[in-house]
Amino acid sequence: SLWSFLLSSSSSSPSPSSSASGSSSRGSRNPFVAARTWLRENQSSLPRIQVRVEPNTTLKLRKRFRPLFKTEVTLGADFNTQLGVWQFKSSWEDKIIGGRLMLAGRELQLSKTWLLSVGAVEDLVTRLRLRAAIDLGTGKSYARLGFRTERLSPINVVEGFTLLRQLPLDGPEGHVKLEVKANFAFPEPEIEYSSSQRTIVGMGDVEVNIDELNLLLEY
């Protein structure tokens, strides 16, 4: 492991006795030597990494095209390999303001949400929602604007947070990607101070759960 390599390289390096004082003074100023010393002294308290790989696997097919000016339509289907079920998906997005378009009956609707900060309060935001529609049969249109103030919640690294990434399998401009969804949970540190002013950090394990492994074919 990385810790064992650093510790072994530190212990196996020769140190001549004639220049012991000079090398020790230089070693005290070397950040790498200080890091190896800290790792050797705190190896027992370093967290271990536990990885659990029990993912759900889905085959995702996506096709994108632009039927109107500055709009993008995405049609797709997801095949759940565990259940053997197909699920069809579609979206229509406006590229001008970043809203979402949808056709409900004869109405062409546009919806968009903004997050705005509120004054000097850092964790308080206002969610502003816009919804506009036009009746394609009669030509009548309307718009609605609403807002709601809410408080942002910080990420709890102890309970875990989710990370979603798409890794290209056939180059950056290719069409095949591996979609990975993982949950990371970090331990809560315990810091103690002894009479010799030495800090002891006791930590649990870092848990990594691979929740999804999806194959994405996008054209």
Side-chain angles (χ1 to χ4, degrees):
S1 64
L2 178 59
W3 313 128
S4 301
F5 172 76
L6 292 175
L7 296 178
S8 61
S9 61
S10 174
S11 59
S12 61
S13 59
S15 56
S17 58
S18 59
S19 59
S21 59
S23 61
S24 60
S25 61
R26 288 193 301 269
S28 61
R29 294 192 298 267
N30 193 330
F32 297 100
V33 175
R36 287 197 296 264
T37 303
W38 185 89
L39 290 175
R40 183 172 61 251
E41 294 177 352
N42 298 274
Q43 186 178 14
S44 59
S45 61
L46 289 176
R48 296 175 300 175
I49 300 178
Q50 294 186 355
V51 181
R52 182 180 64 87
V53 183
E54 297 179 356
N56 295 323
T57 55
T58 303
L59 173 63
K60 296 185 176 183
L61 307 177
R62 296 292 185 270
K63 174 63 178 178
R64 301 177 186 271
F65 56 95
R66 296 171 176 84
L68 298 176
F69 176 72
K70 293 296 183 179
T71 63
E72 182 179 85
V73 175
T74 303
L75 300 177
D78 295 351
F79 178 71
N80 191 307
T81 58
Q82 278 84 5
L83 302 178
V85 176
W86 283 96
Q87 183 179 8
F88 295 95
K89 295 180 177 294
S90 64
S91 65
W92 190 2
E93 295 183 358
D94 168 49
K95 293 300 181 179
I96 299 178
I97 64 173
R100 180 176 295 273
L101 291 166
M102 60 180 295
L103 189 62
R106 297 188 307 176
E107 282 190 355
L108 179 60
Q109 300 178 354
L110 170 66
S111 59
K112 171 66 177 178
T113 301
W114 293 271
L115 286 179
L116 307 176
S117 60
V118 180
V121 184
E122 297 181 355
D123 61 342
L124 200 63
V125 296
T126 297
R127 188 180 298 272
L128 187 65
R129 291 188 178 94
L130 170 65
R131 182 176 179 181
I134 181 173
D135 193 312
L136 300 179
T138 63
K140 295 182 179 180
S141 60
Y142 67 90
R144 297 175 181 173
L145 187 64
F147 66 93
R148 184 180 65 182
T149 301
E150 56 189 36
R151 192 173 295 275
L152 292 177
S153 58
I155 298 177
N156 193 332
V157 296
V158 178
E159 295 182 357
F161 63 95
T162 301
L163 187 64
L164 180 64
R165 286 292 181 268
Q166 293 181 356
L167 309 176
L169 300 180
D170 56 347
E173 302 297 331
H175 303 285
V176 183
K177 299 178 182 179
L178 178 65
E179 188 178 73
V180 182
K181 183 178 180 181
N183 183 270
F184 296 84
F186 292 91
E188 184 174 0
E190 298 178 359
I191 303 177
E192 298 179 358
Y193 297 94
S194 64
S195 58
S196 60
Q197 302 298 323
R198 181 179 177 181
T199 304
I200 302 175
V201 181
M203 303 180 69
D205 297 334
V206 178
E207 297 181 0
V208 181
N209 298 322
I210 307 298
D211 297 329
E212 293 185 13
L213 282 178
N214 305 320
L215 182 62
L216 176 62
L217 305 178
E218 189 174 23
Y219 296 91

